[in-house]
């Protein structure tokens, strides 16, 4: 699928790639004018397709955006340390090796992001997502948090650090649309038609 201006990307995340312009540039030609391409890091819950929903909605809206994310293959993420550096008899060191290697990717991508979106799922406690939110906040990154209402109390400190708290991928896309293009349906479309 090609968005306006010829920016294209596939809708499938793979274990080794993030969406980006082929040459790695940070600017895209959208509607014939040079426009900043925003980098959005998508952190958190890995058991649903919320990342794809945000990507599809953003592409449909024609947003100049690159999405990055952690490795979302659960077993690969858990076992990367021992797979690359050798087995560990103690589970602590097994997990520690993996966490450190995953942190190379996570820290680098959060540092390069213009916006960080962190989703907390319904079923599992995502301590890594909370850590990513705190890291992004400490770096001064604009933070959008997504979770269900029943988690509002447990995540009140995370929510306080966020610039927006949402409950759906559609709300995230609407925020990105406004922030990136200044487009607010029901407002800017009426002004443009005058």
């Amino acid at each position: 699928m090609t968005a306006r201006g010829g920016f294209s990307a596939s809708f499938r995340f793979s274990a080794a790639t993030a969406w980006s312009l082929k040459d790695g540039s940070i600017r895209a030609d959208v509607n014939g004018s040079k426009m900043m391409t925003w980098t959005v890091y998508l952190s958190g819950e890995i058991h649903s397709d919320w990342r794809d929903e945000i990507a599809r909605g953003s592409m449909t809206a024609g947003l100049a955006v690159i999405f990055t994310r952690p490795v979302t293959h659960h077993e690969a993420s858990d076992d990367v340390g021992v797979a690359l550096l050798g087995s560990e008899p103690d589970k602590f060191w097994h997990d520690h090796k993996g966490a450190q290697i995953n942190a190379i990717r996570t820290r680098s991508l959060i540092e390069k992001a213009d916006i960080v979106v962190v989703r907390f799922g319904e079923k599992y406690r995502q301590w890594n997502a909370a850590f990513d939110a705190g890291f992004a906040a400490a770096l001064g990154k604009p933070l959008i948090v997504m979770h269900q209402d029943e988690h509002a109390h447990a995540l009140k400190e995370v929510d306080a650090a966020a610039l927006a708290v949402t409950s759906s991928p559609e709300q995230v896309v609407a925020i990105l649309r406004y922030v990136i293009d200044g487009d607010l349906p029901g407002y800017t479309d009426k002004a443009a038609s005058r």
Side-chain angles (χ1 to χ4, degrees):
M1 172 179 266
T2 300
R4 64 182 184 202
F7 178 81
S8 65
S10 74
F11 289 116
R12 175 167 285 159
F13 284 102
S14 72
T17 61
W19 294 358
S20 65
L21 299 173
K22 285 184 181 178
D23 66 357
S25 68
I26 60 168
R27 300 185 79 74
D29 187 357
V30 179
N31 267 353
S33 64
K34 293 293 181 185
M35 177 179 272
M36 174 182 166
T37 299
W38 293 66
T39 300
V40 178
Y41 184 76
L42 302 175
S43 172
E45 184 263 315
I46 63 170
H47 302 285
S48 69
D49 69 345
W50 68 273
R51 288 177 178 86
D52 290 331
E53 290 179 46
I54 291 172
R56 278 191 300 271
S58 297
M59 293 301 294
T60 299
L63 300 179
V65 64
I66 296 168
F67 293 101
T68 59
R69 48 132 184 92
V71 172
T72 57
H73 186 284
H74 198 157
E75 293 80 11
S77 177
D78 284 350
D79 295 340
V80 65
V82 295
L84 299 178
L85 302 175
S87 65
E88 288 290 343
D90 186 328
K91 182 67 172 151
F92 172 83
W93 293 111
H94 174 113
D95 290 344
H96 188 73
K97 279 182 176 180
Q100 288 182 309
I101 292 173
N102 283 315
I104 295 168
R105 179 185 179 99
T106 302
R107 289 180 191 177
S108 298
L109 293 174
I110 289 174
E111 287 173 353
K112 292 176 182 176
D114 297 303
I115 299 171
V116 175
V117 177
V118 180
R119 174 176 161 74
F120 294 88
E122 299 84 35
K123 189 173 179 182
Y124 301 99
R125 294 184 178 136
Q126 290 97 32
W127 306 117
N128 58 324
F131 186 85
D132 289 353
F135 185 62
L139 292 172
K141 299 292 179 175
L143 178 62
I144 300 171
V145 173
M146 183 175 23
H147 62 75
Q148 301 306 309
D149 291 340
E150 60 265 21
H151 299 303
H153 178 73
L155 294 170
K156 64 186 177 294
E157 287 82 5
V158 174
D159 289 352
L163 297 180
V165 178
T166 68
S167 60
S168 72
E170 295 80 15
Q171 289 176 321
V172 173
V173 171
I175 291 168
L176 294 175
R177 186 174 174 184
Y178 178 77
V179 170
I180 293 170
D181 282 350
D183 187 14
L184 183 62
Y187 291 85
T188 54
D189 50 349
K190 289 178 185 174
S193 66
R194 288 184 197 160

